[in-house]
Amino acid sequence: QVQLVESGGGLVQPGGSLRLSCAASGNIGSVYSMYWHRQAPGKQRELVAEVSREGTTTYGDSVRGRFTLFGDNYENTWYLQMNNLKPEDTAVYYCSALLAEISSPLRKYWGQGTQVTVSS
């Protein structure tokens, strides 16, 4: 069974930095793409960043220039480096991946989420 586990969340002051990690485990055949979303209280889930199988990364308008997604689809571990954090970045951050388990069809898997709080 494939599992995605996020880590690295916490409390940080405005202007600070955090690095989130997402590790996938299980009988992973192929990873097609990977995503970071976030959801703040009372708001819809928002796409923060994604990386394609070819390595092309894209970012949401609100985080472009401050957040960086990097990692390796072959090592099945990805990171979200978040710099110059703002209070409006406070949310639960989720990683997800579009991948296929060995001998199984392609589907999307989600992690359990990690809380990021930006506050003085």
Side-chain angles (χ1 to χ4, degrees):
Q1 175 117 16
V2 171
Q3 286 190 318
L4 271 64
V5 179
E6 302 103 331
S7 61
L11 173 65
V12 63
Q13 292 187 341
S17 298
L18 279 177
R19 179 177 293 182
L20 306 183
S21 301
C22 176
S25 62
N27 293 324
I28 298 171
S30 299
V31 178
Y32 284 77
S33 52
M34 183 274 169
Y35 310 84
W36 284 99
H37 288 78
R38 68 184 181 187
Q39 189 165 20
K43 295 189 176 182
Q44 290 188 332
R45 190 167 292 191
E46 173 190 15
L47 178 63
V48 174
E50 64 180 281
V51 58
S52 70
R53 188 177 191 180
E54 295 76 22
T56 301
T57 54
T58 57
Y59 299 93
D61 289 341
S62 61
V63 306
R64 190 175 297 114
R66 299 187 297 122
F67 290 12
T68 303
L69 191 165
F70 64 98
D72 195 321
N73 284 7
Y74 295 98
E75 294 182 357
N76 301 326
T77 301
W78 304 273
Y79 305 91
L80 185 67
Q81 177 67 40
M82 306 186 294
N83 297 330
N84 189 22
L85 283 160
K86 304 175 181 180
E88 51 264 41
D89 295 318
T90 296
V92 178
Y93 284 71
Y94 299 90
C95 72
S96 61
L98 186 64
L99 60 86
E101 283 188 77
I102 295 171
S103 302
S104 295
L106 191 67
R107 57 159 283 196
K108 200 165 190 180
Y109 295 82
W110 289 85
Q112 81 287 352
T114 185
Q115 176 70 47
V116 171
T117 302
V118 185
S119 175
S120 56

